[in-house]
Amino acid sequence: MGGRRALHFVFKVGDRAQTARFYRELLGMRVLRHEEFEEGCKATCNGPYDGKWSKTMVGYGPEDEHFVAELTYNYGIGDYRLGNDFQGLTVVSSQAVKNAKKLEWPLKEISGGTYRVEAPGGYVFFLEDKESPKPDPVLKVTLAVSRLQTSVNYWSKLLGMKVYETDEGLQKALLGYADNQLPAIEALMKKENQKILTPLVSLDTPGKATVQVVILADPDGHEICFVGDEAFRELSKVDPNGGKLLDKAMEADKSAEWYAEHKRPKPSAAPVGE
């Protein structure tokens, strides 16, 4: 594996149709690929569930060059109660701000030209009302941590990230990735007695490439999935039919109707990130 970079942030969604509308019509992202699975992932990619689920990758361009969102949908779960760890994803896009206003989606200006908006399910996004200086408008993901220096040490010294800036007064730091390999990462975590949620394992996607992953947990329990480069490049090719596959799956999904017919609420998931 060559150079490393951040690939995805995973969002577990309960209302797939409204979520797809938010990403496509408001943020202006497109569906890069969509995959349906009949049973839970052995690396718990879809959480602690064994039933049918789907994964939809959405972004502003190919995964090889863009940071994208991974939308995980479990057919039997109606909503997820969020914790306090995810603080927001920042997107630099004046078009997204225009889209939000056109859709009459609730927007709150928190500083000059920066707006706060919530996706269905409560995930927070910050929209900067200006043109992005780079091809990928996704700027950063912000996470809350309990001990800043402990987290900075973990992400920089153990995971090889570069510290771009720190502000001890505001208790925040900005980091980015460097180079490494999966077996070496796993070995280092074992040596340092760090938590490994899923040891090196191969994951199959029906009809596509098999990728190797190692899933770790940082000091605050944030899950970090490292994916092998070569197979991932094959798996992550843009599927021109991705949007159609998502629309077809949403049309065929009758789970909400079933619960309504039986006069039962669709189950809520256990708390996330607390």
Side-chain angles (χ1 to χ4, degrees), residues 65-85:
E65 302 169 350
H66 295 74
F67 183 85
V68 310
E70 178 176 329
L71 310 180
T72 297
Y73 173 71
N74 289 289
Y75 277 79
I77 302 298
D79 60 80
Y80 298 84
R81 186 160 69 87
L82 305 183
N84 58 4
D85 57 344

Side-chain angles (χ1 to χ4, degrees), residues 15-189:
D15 189 331
R16 188 165 52 172
Q18 277 294 90
T19 297
R21 180 170 178 254
F22 175 84
Y23 282 90
R24 292 199 281 198
E25 297 182 27
L26 193 154
L27 293 183
M29 293 182 176
R30 62 189 177 105
V31 177
L32 304 172
R33 56 187 170 102
H34 175 79
E35 295 151 0
E36 294 278 328
F37 302 88
E38 294 299 321
E39 58 184 25
C41 173
K42 62 183 178 181
T44 65
C45 303
N46 64 313
Y49 308 103
D50 294 326
K52 186 176 180 180
W53 65 289
S54 75
K55 176 170 64 177
T56 307
M57 314 305 295
V58 294
Y60 290 103
E63 294 174 70
D64 270 355
E65 302 169 350
H66 295 74
F67 183 85
V68 310
E70 178 176 329
L71 310 180
T72 297
Y73 173 71
N74 289 289
Y75 277 79
I77 302 298
D79 60 80
Y80 298 84
R81 186 160 69 87
L82 305 183
N84 58 4
D85 57 344
F86 178 73
Q87 297 293 292
L89 188 151
T90 301
V91 176
V92 181
S93 172
S94 57
Q95 185 60 53
V97 175
K98 292 176 184 176
N99 293 343
K101 292 178 179 178
K102 181 179 179 181
L103 294 170
E104 297 183 347
W105 205 285
L107 274 177
K108 180 181 180 181
E109 188 168 13
I110 59 173
S111 62
T114 299
Y115 295 84
R116 183 185 188 276
V117 62
E118 287 190 11
Y123 291 111
V124 174
F125 286 73
F126 296 103
L127 308 179
E128 294 191 3
D129 191 8
K130 58 185 178 182
E131 295 300 318
S132 176
K134 58 189 182 69
D136 187 2
V138 178
L139 181 63
K140 62 184 177 182
V141 174
T142 305
L143 298 174
V145 299
S146 56
R147 297 174 300 280
L148 181 63
Q149 193 55 53
T150 298
S151 293
V152 169
N153 289 342
Y154 179 90
W155 288 85
S156 62
K157 295 181 180 179
L158 297 182
L159 300 189
M161 279 188 163
K162 177 181 178 180
V163 180
Y164 289 100
E165 61 181 66
T166 58
D167 189 320
E168 294 185 3
L170 296 177
Q171 282 291 287
K172 65 179 183 179
L174 181 66
L175 298 92
Y177 277 108
D179 298 334
N180 215 320
Q181 295 180 342
L182 297 189
I185 290 173
E186 184 179 41
L188 177 61
M189 293 301 138

